[in-house]
Amino acid sequence: AQSVTQLDSQVPVFEEAPVELRCNYSSSVSVYLFWYVQYPNQGLQLLLKYLSGSTLVESINGFEAEFNKSQTSFHLRKPSVHISDTAEYFCAVSESQGGKLIFGQGTELSVKP
Amino acid sequence: EAGVVQSPRYKIIEKKQPVAFWCNPISGHNTLYWYLQNLGQGPELLIRYENEEAVDDSQLPKDRFSAERLKGVDSTLKIQPAELGDSAVYLCASSPRGALSYEQYFGPGTRLTVT
């Protein structure tokens, strides 16, 4: 069965510092990997995805994630965070397009001035 | 383009009462999902529809939960009777056909409090 583990429940960081949010998954088959962001009182928004091809994927707002098959990881990074990046971040995995997403427990990123 | 619409946004009920949540997916999206999000946890799938057919309802507690998607558009999720442990956020999501079917668009959710 699939599962996703986000190793940090809370990550406090100062503005303009780098950040890494860790995600590990388990699956017996090939998977699609996602990072979603949830701002307070809003729905989840897709931040970036890995389907195939290049193992390094990027979002439009400076986040990137790297798929590492040998370590079954999909860590999210940003070299310099902003106050506006404060949100809950969820890693998710799916075994098929259109199939259900299995989410991790979430990581609360808190960016302080 | 309007996003996924859910109502109500908040609902407070007493235990043993019934409650219903409504979802209107993005126009043209044939796949609709209902997820349950407990406090401090990631969402968990309750049911997935392809058009009007429920293709995955294995995680839906069928003794008290029911769902329908008449005409393959809007969907309603019902709980009867509600229990204290049902307090959570209920999220609806939809996805299109074809190459973009991996991309699920989420509504803002309905926050249910059972007292």
Side-chain angles (χ1 to χ4, degrees):
Chain A
Q2 296 173 296
S3 68
V4 177
T5 301
Q6 292 183 242
L7 298 165
D8 306 294
S9 59
Q10 294 180 322
V11 174
V13 64
F14 287 107
E15 193 174 19
E16 298 184 4
V19 71
E20 179 180 79
L21 307 184
R22 295 179 293 170
C23 172
N24 286 89
Y25 70 93
S26 66
S27 176
S28 58
V29 299
S30 297
V31 295
Y32 303 112
L33 295 159
F34 307 86
W35 276 98
Y36 280 81
V37 59
Q38 187 174 33
Y39 298 102
N41 297 316
Q42 294 187 28
L44 283 79
Q45 301 172 31
L46 180 63
L47 186 60
L48 46 74
K49 60 190 179 289
Y50 170 78
L51 304 180
S52 63
S54 173
T55 57
L56 184 65
V57 292
E58 299 177 352
S59 72
I60 59 173
N61 58 353
F63 282 94
E64 64 178 31
E66 186 162 17
F67 169 55
N68 188 318
K69 188 175 182 179
S70 63
Q71 297 186 6
T72 60
S73 68
F74 191 55
H75 301 332
L76 181 70
R77 303 184 183 96
K78 188 169 185 179
S80 176
V81 294
H82 303 290
I83 298 288
S84 59
D85 292 325
T86 294
E88 188 94 19
Y89 291 80
F90 292 94
C91 181
V93 63
S94 176
E95 289 184 350
S96 63
Q97 288 195 196
K100 71 178 181 182
L101 291 170
I102 304 295
F103 286 89
Q105 306 93 312
T107 296
E108 183 181 345
L109 175 63
S110 177
V111 182
K112 304 180 186 304
Chain B
E1 178 183 86
V4 176
V5 179
Q6 292 188 248
S7 69
R9 291 292 311 277
Y10 305 90
K11 188 73 175 179
I12 301 174
I13 61 170
E14 294 182 346
K15 62 181 180 181
K16 300 184 182 180
Q17 294 301 306
V19 64
F21 314 124
W22 176 79
C23 173
N24 180 241
I26 293 174
S27 178
H29 284 195
N30 66 311
T31 307
L32 184 146
Y33 313 76
W34 282 103
Y35 287 88
L36 166 67
Q37 185 176 18
N38 287 304
L39 186 64
Q41 300 293 320
E44 300 175 12
L45 182 73
L46 289 172
I47 189 168
R48 174 168 67 100
Y49 282 93
E50 295 287 344
N51 300 306
E52 63 274 7
E53 181 183 359
V55 296
D56 184 355
D57 64 356
S58 58
Q59 301 302 310
L60 189 72
K62 298 181 183 64
D63 57 336
R64 297 185 300 107
F65 286 66
S66 64
E68 61 182 12
R69 192 184 183 196
L70 301 176
K71 301 181 181 179
V73 182
D74 295 2
S75 178
T76 302
L77 178 68
K78 297 178 182 178
I79 308 175
Q80 182 171 11
E83 297 178 353
L84 294 176
D86 296 331
S87 295
V89 177
Y90 292 82
L91 296 168
C92 180
S94 67
S95 63
R97 298 176 187 272
L100 293 178
S101 62
Y102 60 81
E103 189 154 343
Q104 296 185 25
Y105 295 80
F106 284 81
T110 297
R111 183 178 297 275
L112 174 67
T113 302
V114 182
T115 64

